[in-house]
Amino acid sequence: LAQADTTSRVKRAHFRLPGVMGKFIKAGRVVVMLNGRYAGKKAIVVKTFDDGSKGRPFSHALVAGVDRAPLKVTRRMSKKKISKRSKVKPFVKYANYNHIMPTRYQIPAEIAPASLCTDQQMDTADGRVEAKKFVKKLLEEKFVAPPADKSG
């Protein structure tokens, strides 16, 4: 009787099935590019393709990021110099999940990540240029007038 009583009190270990992970790369997540031309640059996940697509049969994401970040400005600088130094050079591309590292940061909810770039825009060169212009405008606007609180 005593032996049966002790076995019932043994704590069961919680376990997860191997290979089953939570999805943490979602739209709005800030990631760091690891490979290629934009290695080390920060980007925002616009859309995820966990199961791949016909043209890209691997897990990947559409990302929009900052190729060249704004430079430091001081009070002494002229308006012209400040406007030049406040410029952002963006990029938009598809990135394999193996080549991006998610961070703990996410962009605020009021900036809809899906609005940054679409699949249709990525199909044509003109569409990509248009998407980059929109991302550039948005990032420069956020840089010049940052939000008051830290959450966004």
Side-chain angles (χ1 to χ4, degrees):
L1 184 72
Q3 188 181 20
D5 193 31
T6 56
T7 55
S8 66
R9 280 191 251 140
V10 173
K11 288 188 177 180
R12 303 253 189 272
H14 292 284
F15 69 95
R16 287 180 175 234
L17 294 171
V20 179
M21 269 178 60
K23 291 186 172 58
F24 49 87
I25 299 179
K26 293 179 181 164
R29 175 73 62 187
V30 176
V31 295
V32 177
M33 305 300 291
L34 298 177
N35 280 24
R37 178 179 180 181
Y38 303 111
K41 306 294 183 186
K42 279 80 175 176
I44 300 163
V45 175
V46 175
K47 187 176 178 185
T48 58
F49 301 88
D50 292 326
D51 302 322
S53 61
K54 193 171 183 181
R56 295 178 177 83
F58 49 85
S59 306
H60 61 282
L62 175 58
V63 297
V66 179
D67 186 14
R68 190 167 51 237
L71 298 168
K72 181 181 174 181
V73 294
T74 61
R75 197 172 293 194
R76 288 180 178 189
M77 292 179 185
S78 66
K79 291 243 187 229
K80 183 181 173 187
K81 190 164 191 176
I82 289 172
S83 70
K84 273 190 180 274
R85 291 175 78 93
S86 299
K87 297 271 187 260
V88 174
K89 184 181 179 188
F91 67 88
V92 289
K93 68 177 296 187
Y94 289 103
N96 189 326
Y97 277 5
N98 296 337
H99 303 154
I100 59 177
M101 181 175 68
T103 65
R104 64 183 180 176
Y105 302 104
Q106 285 189 304
I107 60 168
E110 71 261 9
I111 305 170
S115 69
L116 295 176
C117 186
T118 63
D119 288 331
Q120 289 74 34
Q121 286 178 319
M122 291 299 286
D123 292 339
T124 63
D126 293 337
R128 285 192 295 275
V129 169
E130 184 184 310
K132 281 186 219 169
K133 282 182 183 172
F134 180 74
V135 172
K136 179 185 175 83
K137 185 173 78 86
L138 185 86
L139 293 174
E140 284 178 0
E141 180 182 299
K142 287 289 175 191
F143 176 74
V144 171
D149 62 335
K150 287 288 182 189
S151 65

PDB file of all heavy atoms in Angstrom, residues 23-53:
ATOM      1  N   LYS A  23       5.284  28.907 -33.724  1.00  0.00           N
ATOM      2  CA  LYS A  23       5.670  29.819 -34.803  1.00  0.00           C
ATOM      3  C   LYS A  23       5.985  31.177 -34.200  1.00  0.00           C
ATOM      4  O   LYS A  23       5.112  31.848 -33.673  1.00  0.00           O
ATOM      5  CB  LYS A  23       4.529  29.921 -35.808  1.00  0.00           C
ATOM      6  CG  LYS A  23       4.329  28.629 -36.584  1.00  0.00           C
ATOM      7  CD  LYS A  23       3.300  28.813 -37.658  1.00  0.00           C
ATOM      8  CE  LYS A  23       3.205  27.632 -38.571  1.00  0.00           C
ATOM      9  NZ  LYS A  23       2.904  26.374 -37.925  1.00  0.00           N
ATOM     10  N   PHE A  24       7.233  31.567 -34.260  1.00  0.00           N
ATOM     11  CA  PHE A  24       7.626  32.855 -33.689  1.00  0.00           C
ATOM     12  C   PHE A  24       8.008  33.852 -34.762  1.00  0.00           C
ATOM     13  O   PHE A  24       8.165  35.026 -34.478  1.00  0.00           O
ATOM     14  CB  PHE A  24       8.764  32.691 -32.674  1.00  0.00           C
ATOM     15  CG  PHE A  24       9.912  31.866 -33.178  1.00  0.00           C
ATOM     16  CD1 PHE A  24      10.936  32.455 -33.881  1.00  0.00           C
ATOM     17  CD2 PHE A  24       9.951  30.508 -32.970  1.00  0.00           C
ATOM     18  CE1 PHE A  24      11.987  31.716 -34.363  1.00  0.00           C
ATOM     19  CE2 PHE A  24      11.003  29.745 -33.440  1.00  0.00           C
ATOM     20  CZ  PHE A  24      12.028  30.350 -34.144  1.00  0.00           C
ATOM     21  N   ILE A  25       8.160  33.405 -36.006  1.00  0.00           N
ATOM     22  CA  ILE A  25       8.402  34.348 -37.103  1.00  0.00           C
ATOM     23  C   ILE A  25       7.039  34.679 -37.698  1.00  0.00           C
ATOM     24  O   ILE A  25       6.492  33.909 -38.481  1.00  0.00           O
ATOM     25  CB  ILE A  25       9.356  33.764 -38.161  1.00  0.00           C
ATOM     26  CG1 ILE A  25      10.712  33.439 -37.533  1.00  0.00           C
ATOM     27  CG2 ILE A  25       9.521  34.736 -39.319  1.00  0.00           C
ATOM     28  CD1 ILE A  25      11.723  32.842 -38.472  1.00  0.00           C
ATOM     29  N   LYS A  26       6.493  35.804 -37.271  1.00  0.00           N
ATOM     30  CA  LYS A  26       5.182  36.242 -37.735  1.00  0.00           C
ATOM     31  C   LYS A  26       5.318  37.642 -38.311  1.00  0.00           C
ATOM     32  O   LYS A  26       6.314  38.324 -38.075  1.00  0.00           O
ATOM     33  CB  LYS A  26       4.184  36.280 -36.573  1.00  0.00           C
ATOM     34  CG  LYS A  26       3.851  34.912 -36.015  1.00  0.00           C
ATOM     35  CD  LYS A  26       2.877  35.032 -34.866  1.00  0.00           C
ATOM     36  CE  LYS A  26       2.564  33.670 -34.286  1.00  0.00           C
ATOM     37  NZ  LYS A  26       1.942  33.741 -32.981  1.00  0.00           N
ATOM     38  N   ALA A  27       4.294  38.076 -39.031  1.00  0.00           N
ATOM     39  CA  ALA A  27       4.290  39.425 -39.606  1.00  0.00           C
ATOM     40  C   ALA A  27       4.431  40.449 -38.482  1.00  0.00           C
ATOM     41  O   ALA A  27       3.766  40.344 -37.454  1.00  0.00           O
ATOM     42  CB  ALA A  27       3.012  39.660 -40.387  1.00  0.00           C
ATOM     43  N   GLY A  28       5.324  41.416 -38.685  1.00  0.00           N
ATOM     44  CA  GLY A  28       5.551  42.453 -37.683  1.00  0.00           C
ATOM     45  C   GLY A  28       6.775  42.207 -36.824  1.00  0.00           C
ATOM     46  O   GLY A  28       7.233  43.105 -36.113  1.00  0.00           O
ATOM     47  N   ARG A  29       7.347  41.023 -36.872  1.00  0.00           N
ATOM     48  CA  ARG A  29       8.531  40.696 -36.074  1.00  0.00           C
ATOM     49  C   ARG A  29       9.762  41.359 -36.693  1.00  0.00           C
ATOM     50  O   ARG A  29       9.939  41.365 -37.901  1.00  0.00           O
ATOM     51  CB  ARG A  29       8.716  39.182 -36.055  1.00  0.00           C
ATOM     52  CG  ARG A  29       9.963  38.677 -35.377  1.00  0.00           C
ATOM     53  CD  ARG A  29       9.953  38.784 -33.888  1.00  0.00           C
ATOM     54  NE  ARG A  29       8.897  37.985 -33.282  1.00  0.00           N
ATOM     55  CZ  ARG A  29       8.599  38.029 -31.987  1.00  0.00           C
ATOM     56  NH1 ARG A  29       9.270  38.825 -31.190  1.00  0.00           N
ATOM     57  NH2 ARG A  29       7.628  37.299 -31.509  1.00  0.00           N
ATOM     58  N   VAL A  30      10.609  41.919 -35.860  1.00  0.00           N
ATOM     59  CA  VAL A  30      11.874  42.491 -36.334  1.00  0.00           C
ATOM     60  C   VAL A  30      12.896  41.357 -36.390  1.00  0.00           C
ATOM     61  O   VAL A  30      13.010  40.580 -35.439  1.00  0.00           O
ATOM     62  CB  VAL A  30      12.361  43.622 -35.403  1.00  0.00           C
ATOM     63  CG1 VAL A  30      13.723  44.138 -35.845  1.00  0.00           C
ATOM     64  CG2 VAL A  30      11.352  44.752 -35.366  1.00  0.00           C
ATOM     65  N   VAL A  31      13.586  41.245 -37.518  1.00  0.00           N
ATOM     66  CA  VAL A  31      14.584  40.192 -37.701  1.00  0.00           C
ATOM     67  C   VAL A  31      15.912  40.811 -38.140  1.00  0.00           C
ATOM     68  O   VAL A  31      15.952  41.946 -38.610  1.00  0.00           O
ATOM     69  CB  VAL A  31      14.133  39.143 -38.749  1.00  0.00           C
ATOM     70  CG1 VAL A  31      12.907  38.388 -38.287  1.00  0.00           C
ATOM     71  CG2 VAL A  31      13.890  39.769 -40.106  1.00  0.00           C
ATOM     72  N   VAL A  32      16.978  40.038 -37.976  1.00  0.00           N
ATOM     73  CA  VAL A  32      18.300  40.449 -38.461  1.00  0.00           C
ATOM     74  C   VAL A  32      18.649  39.523 -39.614  1.00  0.00           C
ATOM     75  O   VAL A  32      18.553  38.295 -39.489  1.00  0.00           O
ATOM     76  CB  VAL A  32      19.369  40.342 -37.343  1.00  0.00           C
ATOM     77  CG1 VAL A  32      20.743  40.708 -37.876  1.00  0.00           C
ATOM     78  CG2 VAL A  32      19.007  41.221 -36.171  1.00  0.00           C
ATOM     79  N   MET A  33      19.041  40.113 -40.733  1.00  0.00           N
ATOM     80  CA  MET A  33      19.440  39.319 -41.900  1.00  0.00           C
ATOM     81  C   MET A  33      20.820  38.720 -41.612  1.00  0.00           C
ATOM     82  O   MET A  33      21.703  39.409 -41.101  1.00  0.00           O
ATOM     83  CB  MET A  33      19.501  40.200 -43.145  1.00  0.00           C
ATOM     84  CG  MET A  33      18.228  40.968 -43.445  1.00  0.00           C
ATOM     85  SD  MET A  33      16.802  39.941 -43.712  1.00  0.00           S
ATOM     86  CE  MET A  33      17.225  39.176 -45.244  1.00  0.00           C
ATOM     87  N   LEU A  34      21.010  37.452 -41.956  1.00  0.00           N
ATOM     88  CA  LEU A  34      22.266  36.776 -41.624  1.00  0.00           C
ATOM     89  C   LEU A  34      23.189  36.571 -42.816  1.00  0.00           C
ATOM     90  O   LEU A  34      24.393  36.533 -42.658  1.00  0.00           O
ATOM     91  CB  LEU A  34      21.963  35.413 -40.994  1.00  0.00           C
ATOM     92  CG  LEU A  34      21.184  35.442 -39.683  1.00  0.00           C
ATOM     93  CD1 LEU A  34      20.898  34.029 -39.218  1.00  0.00           C
ATOM     94  CD2 LEU A  34      21.952  36.208 -38.622  1.00  0.00           C
ATOM     95  N   ASN A  35      22.635  36.413 -44.000  1.00  0.00           N
ATOM     96  CA  ASN A  35      23.457  36.093 -45.172  1.00  0.00           C
ATOM     97  C   ASN A  35      23.279  37.115 -46.280  1.00  0.00           C
ATOM     98  O   ASN A  35      22.278  37.809 -46.336  1.00  0.00           O
ATOM     99  CB  ASN A  35      23.070  34.725 -45.741  1.00  0.00           C
ATOM    100  CG  ASN A  35      23.682  33.589 -44.977  1.00  0.00           C
ATOM    101  OD1 ASN A  35      24.029  33.743 -43.811  1.00  0.00           O
ATOM    102  ND2 ASN A  35      23.819  32.445 -45.616  1.00  0.00           N
ATOM    103  N   GLY A  36      24.262  37.169 -47.164  1.00  0.00           N
ATOM    104  CA  GLY A  36      24.147  37.956 -48.379  1.00  0.00           C
ATOM    105  C   GLY A  36      24.430  39.425 -48.212  1.00  0.00           C
ATOM    106  O   GLY A  36      25.051  39.871 -47.252  1.00  0.00           O
ATOM    107  N   ARG A  37      23.919  40.168 -49.167  1.00  0.00           N
ATOM    108  CA  ARG A  37      24.188  41.595 -49.279  1.00  0.00           C
ATOM    109  C   ARG A  37      23.718  42.379 -48.051  1.00  0.00           C
ATOM    110  O   ARG A  37      24.297  43.397 -47.701  1.00  0.00           O
ATOM    111  CB  ARG A  37      23.445  42.066 -50.527  1.00  0.00           C
ATOM    112  CG  ARG A  37      23.536  43.515 -50.822  1.00  0.00           C
ATOM    113  CD  ARG A  37      22.760  43.761 -52.107  1.00  0.00           C
ATOM    114  NE  ARG A  37      22.795  45.154 -52.462  1.00  0.00           N
ATOM    115  CZ  ARG A  37      22.196  45.643 -53.523  1.00  0.00           C
ATOM    116  NH1 ARG A  37      21.530  44.843 -54.315  1.00  0.00           N
ATOM    117  NH2 ARG A  37      22.265  46.912 -53.798  1.00  0.00           N
ATOM    118  N   TYR A  38      22.653  41.920 -47.421  1.00  0.00           N
ATOM    119  CA  TYR A  38      22.069  42.655 -46.294  1.00  0.00           C
ATOM    120  C   TYR A  38      22.402  42.020 -44.948  1.00  0.00           C
ATOM    121  O   TYR A  38      21.690  42.242 -43.965  1.00  0.00           O
ATOM    122  CB  TYR A  38      20.552  42.753 -46.480  1.00  0.00           C
ATOM    123  CG  TYR A  38      20.175  43.409 -47.780  1.00  0.00           C
ATOM    124  CD1 TYR A  38      19.581  42.684 -48.804  1.00  0.00           C
ATOM    125  CD2 TYR A  38      20.443  44.755 -48.009  1.00  0.00           C
ATOM    126  CE1 TYR A  38      19.243  43.282 -50.004  1.00  0.00           C
ATOM    127  CE2 TYR A  38      20.116  45.356 -49.211  1.00  0.00           C
ATOM    128  CZ  TYR A  38      19.521  44.614 -50.201  1.00  0.00           C
ATOM    129  OH  TYR A  38      19.198  45.215 -51.383  1.00  0.00           O
ATOM    130  N   ALA A  39      23.464  41.241 -44.875  1.00  0.00           N
ATOM    131  CA  ALA A  39      23.851  40.577 -43.624  1.00  0.00           C
ATOM    132  C   ALA A  39      24.071  41.617 -42.526  1.00  0.00           C
ATOM    133  O   ALA A  39      24.744  42.627 -42.727  1.00  0.00           O
ATOM    134  CB  ALA A  39      25.119  39.767 -43.835  1.00  0.00           C
ATOM    135  N   GLY A  40      23.449  41.387 -41.378  1.00  0.00           N
ATOM    136  CA  GLY A  40      23.576  42.301 -40.245  1.00  0.00           C
ATOM    137  C   GLY A  40      22.555  43.421 -40.241  1.00  0.00           C
ATOM    138  O   GLY A  40      22.468  44.179 -39.278  1.00  0.00           O
ATOM    139  N   LYS A  41      21.771  43.535 -41.303  1.00  0.00           N
ATOM    140  CA  LYS A  41      20.772  44.611 -41.385  1.00  0.00           C
ATOM    141  C   LYS A  41      19.462  44.167 -40.748  1.00  0.00           C
ATOM    142  O   LYS A  41      19.107  42.999 -40.771  1.00  0.00           O
ATOM    143  CB  LYS A  41      20.509  45.002 -42.847  1.00  0.00           C
ATOM    144  CG  LYS A  41      21.752  45.360 -43.639  1.00  0.00           C
ATOM    145  CD  LYS A  41      22.396  46.607 -43.142  1.00  0.00           C
ATOM    146  CE  LYS A  41      23.600  46.969 -44.006  1.00  0.00           C
ATOM    147  NZ  LYS A  41      24.341  48.088 -43.486  1.00  0.00           N
ATOM    148  N   LYS A  42      18.750  45.128 -40.180  1.00  0.00           N
ATOM    149  CA  LYS A  42      17.463  44.827 -39.555  1.00  0.00           C
ATOM    150  C   LYS A  42      16.356  44.902 -40.588  1.00  0.00           C
ATOM    151  O   LYS A  42      16.415  45.714 -41.501  1.00  0.00           O
ATOM    152  CB  LYS A  42      17.136  45.822 -38.427  1.00  0.00           C
ATOM    153  CG  LYS A  42      17.826  45.509 -37.112  1.00  0.00           C
ATOM    154  CD  LYS A  42      19.214  45.975 -37.153  1.00  0.00           C
ATOM    155  CE  LYS A  42      19.968  45.830 -35.859  1.00  0.00           C
ATOM    156  NZ  LYS A  42      21.355  46.246 -36.051  1.00  0.00           N
ATOM    157  N   ALA A  43      15.351  44.062 -40.392  1.00  0.00           N
ATOM    158  CA  ALA A  43      14.206  44.038 -41.300  1.00  0.00           C
ATOM    159  C   ALA A  43      12.942  43.689 -40.527  1.00  0.00           C
ATOM    160  O   ALA A  43      13.008  43.206 -39.395  1.00  0.00           O
ATOM    161  CB  ALA A  43      14.438  43.020 -42.411  1.00  0.00           C
ATOM    162  N   ILE A  44      11.804  43.938 -41.150  1.00  0.00           N
ATOM    163  CA  ILE A  44      10.502  43.621 -40.579  1.00  0.00           C
ATOM    164  C   ILE A  44       9.869  42.536 -41.444  1.00  0.00           C
ATOM    165  O   ILE A  44       9.862  42.649 -42.672  1.00  0.00           O
ATOM    166  CB  ILE A  44       9.592  44.866 -40.572  1.00  0.00           C
ATOM    167  CG1 ILE A  44      10.208  45.979 -39.742  1.00  0.00           C
ATOM    168  CG2 ILE A  44       8.193  44.523 -40.072  1.00  0.00           C
ATOM    169  CD1 ILE A  44       9.599  47.346 -40.006  1.00  0.00           C
ATOM    170  N   VAL A  45       9.347  41.498 -40.820  1.00  0.00           N
ATOM    171  CA  VAL A  45       8.662  40.440 -41.566  1.00  0.00           C
ATOM    172  C   VAL A  45       7.309  40.984 -42.016  1.00  0.00           C
ATOM    173  O   VAL A  45       6.507  41.440 -41.209  1.00  0.00           O
ATOM    174  CB  VAL A  45       8.468  39.175 -40.699  1.00  0.00           C
ATOM    175  CG1 VAL A  45       7.655  38.135 -41.448  1.00  0.00           C
ATOM    176  CG2 VAL A  45       9.810  38.601 -40.295  1.00  0.00           C
ATOM    177  N   VAL A  46       7.078  40.963 -43.327  1.00  0.00           N
ATOM    178  CA  VAL A  46       5.835  41.458 -43.902  1.00  0.00           C
ATOM    179  C   VAL A  46       4.836  40.311 -44.040  1.00  0.00           C
ATOM    180  O   VAL A  46       3.670  40.433 -43.682  1.00  0.00           O
ATOM    181  CB  VAL A  46       6.086  42.110 -45.277  1.00  0.00           C
ATOM    182  CG1 VAL A  46       4.795  42.524 -45.939  1.00  0.00           C
ATOM    183  CG2 VAL A  46       7.012  43.306 -45.121  1.00  0.00           C
ATOM    184  N   LYS A  47       5.323  39.169 -44.565  1.00  0.00           N
ATOM    185  CA  LYS A  47       4.449  38.017 -44.766  1.00  0.00           C
ATOM    186  C   LYS A  47       5.284  36.750 -44.658  1.00  0.00           C
ATOM    187  O   LYS A  47       6.434  36.732 -45.095  1.00  0.00           O
ATOM    188  CB  LYS A  47       3.802  38.110 -46.152  1.00  0.00           C
ATOM    189  CG  LYS A  47       2.752  37.076 -46.427  1.00  0.00           C
ATOM    190  CD  LYS A  47       2.112  37.308 -47.785  1.00  0.00           C
ATOM    191  CE  LYS A  47       1.082  36.218 -48.062  1.00  0.00           C
ATOM    192  NZ  LYS A  47       0.534  36.351 -49.410  1.00  0.00           N
ATOM    193  N   THR A  48       4.718  35.704 -44.072  1.00  0.00           N
ATOM    194  CA  THR A  48       5.456  34.455 -43.920  1.00  0.00           C
ATOM    195  C   THR A  48       4.884  33.382 -44.843  1.00  0.00           C
ATOM    196  O   THR A  48       3.692  33.376 -45.149  1.00  0.00           O
ATOM    197  CB  THR A  48       5.392  33.941 -42.469  1.00  0.00           C
ATOM    198  OG1 THR A  48       4.026  33.770 -42.110  1.00  0.00           O
ATOM    199  CG2 THR A  48       6.076  34.891 -41.523  1.00  0.00           C
ATOM    200  N   PHE A  49       5.760  32.485 -45.262  1.00  0.00           N
ATOM    201  CA  PHE A  49       5.394  31.331 -46.080  1.00  0.00           C
ATOM    202  C   PHE A  49       6.007  30.110 -45.403  1.00  0.00           C
ATOM    203  O   PHE A  49       7.078  29.640 -45.798  1.00  0.00           O
ATOM    204  CB  PHE A  49       5.931  31.480 -47.510  1.00  0.00           C
ATOM    205  CG  PHE A  49       5.430  32.706 -48.226  1.00  0.00           C
ATOM    206  CD1 PHE A  49       6.106  33.923 -48.114  1.00  0.00           C
ATOM    207  CD2 PHE A  49       4.276  32.657 -48.995  1.00  0.00           C
ATOM    208  CE1 PHE A  49       5.642  35.051 -48.765  1.00  0.00           C
ATOM    209  CE2 PHE A  49       3.816  33.788 -49.655  1.00  0.00           C
ATOM    210  CZ  PHE A  49       4.492  34.985 -49.534  1.00  0.00           C
ATOM    211  N   ASP A  50       5.342  29.601 -44.360  1.00  0.00           N
ATOM    212  CA  ASP A  50       5.889  28.494 -43.569  1.00  0.00           C
ATOM    213  C   ASP A  50       6.064  27.217 -44.388  1.00  0.00           C
ATOM    214  O   ASP A  50       6.994  26.454 -44.158  1.00  0.00           O
ATOM    215  CB  ASP A  50       4.993  28.205 -42.363  1.00  0.00           C
ATOM    216  CG  ASP A  50       5.023  29.345 -41.352  1.00  0.00           C
ATOM    217  OD1 ASP A  50       6.086  29.969 -41.207  1.00  0.00           O
ATOM    218  OD2 ASP A  50       3.984  29.609 -40.719  1.00  0.00           O
ATOM    219  N   ASP A  51       5.146  26.968 -45.322  1.00  0.00           N
ATOM    220  CA  ASP A  51       5.210  25.745 -46.121  1.00  0.00           C
ATOM    221  C   ASP A  51       5.838  25.975 -47.488  1.00  0.00           C
ATOM    222  O   ASP A  51       5.781  25.097 -48.345  1.00  0.00           O
ATOM    223  CB  ASP A  51       3.798  25.177 -46.294  1.00  0.00           C
ATOM    224  CG  ASP A  51       3.155  24.886 -44.942  1.00  0.00           C
ATOM    225  OD1 ASP A  51       3.883  24.439 -44.042  1.00  0.00           O
ATOM    226  OD2 ASP A  51       1.944  25.135 -44.797  1.00  0.00           O
ATOM    227  N   GLY A  52       6.384  27.154 -47.704  1.00  0.00           N
ATOM    228  CA  GLY A  52       6.984  27.460 -48.989  1.00  0.00           C
ATOM    229  C   GLY A  52       5.929  27.826 -50.017  1.00  0.00           C
ATOM    230  O   GLY A  52       4.750  27.957 -49.713  1.00  0.00           O
ATOM    231  N   SER A  53       6.371  28.002 -51.241  1.00  0.00           N
ATOM    232  CA  SER A  53       5.464  28.313 -52.349  1.00  0.00           C
ATOM    233  C   SER A  53       5.943  27.523 -53.567  1.00  0.00           C
ATOM    234  O   SER A  53       6.942  26.802 -53.486  1.00  0.00           O
ATOM    235  CB  SER A  53       5.467  29.815 -52.633  1.00  0.00           C
ATOM    236  OG  SER A  53       6.760  30.239 -53.011  1.00  0.00           O
TER     237      SER A  53
END
